[in-house]
Amino acid sequence: MDYARVEGAREYVARLEHGRDWREQIEVFANEEAIDAAFFFGIGAVQDAELWFYDQDEGEYDAIRFEEPFEVTPAVGNISVLDGEPFAHTHATLSREDGSVVAGHLESATTFAGELYVRAFGTSLEREHDPVTDLDLWPL
Ligand code: ZN
């Protein structure tokens, strides 16, 4: 395991805007606040969702699209830099009216309502291609 000590934490609470993409709003916020490293969690509801699943054999993401409302129970993730821009790596568990859930890597979702807690660090994390997994990971 590789690791780095991080300091200079700043904390935020945020309300996501109705009708806008869940993950994009976090990335716009990170850009505005010059956040290059953070962790967050959030709860709320979305009107649709696209989850991605990483095929470890093929080294590709497969998309699964849902056109239905969900509770976000919760979404968790981190913010770091990918290709020079803030990237909000987000995973979510989404529940239906009957209590069943879908879960995975959240690519996009239209926000119905959302509340976030963000803990940002005074450091920069920039993703780099990892040849073992073919993913963009932190070079710690
Ligand atoms: Zn992921």
Side-chain angles (χ1 to χ4, degrees), residues 95-106:
S95 73
R96 296 187 171 102
E97 187 177 12
D98 67 0
S100 65
V101 298
V102 297
H105 174 108
L106 184 78

Side-chain angles (χ1 to χ4, degrees), residues 36-131:
D36 289 342
F39 269 80
F40 63 85
F41 57 81
I43 57 175
V46 294
Q47 298 169 303
D48 55 29
E50 183 172 319
L51 301 178
W52 284 8
F53 182 81
Y54 191 67
D55 184 322
Q56 296 177 13
D57 295 323
E58 298 296 323
E60 290 176 355
Y61 280 100
D62 297 324
I64 317 158
R65 181 92 202 146
F66 298 93
E67 300 293 343
E68 58 184 301
F70 293 105
E71 296 286 330
V72 178
T73 63
V76 298
N78 57 60
I79 299 165
S80 55
V81 178
L82 177 64
D83 298 328
E85 300 288 331
F87 171 63
H89 186 196
T90 307
H91 286 198
T93 303
L94 306 172
S95 73
R96 296 187 171 102
E97 187 177 12
D98 67 0
S100 65
V101 298
V102 297
H105 174 108
L106 184 78
E107 169 59 14
S108 62
T110 305
T111 305
F112 184 76
E115 298 166 342
L116 282 190
Y117 166 76
V118 182
R119 188 171 175 89
F121 304 105
T123 189
S124 183
L125 273 177
E126 183 154 4
R127 292 180 177 275
E128 292 181 6
H129 180 257
D130 172 61

Side-chain angles (χ1 to χ4, degrees), residues 15-22 25 45-47 109-115:
R15 194 186 80 194
L16 296 173
E17 200 172 307
H18 178 86
R20 290 181 58 198
D21 184 71
W22 183 283
Q25 291 187 70
V46 294
Q47 298 169 303
T110 305
T111 305
F112 184 76
E115 298 166 342

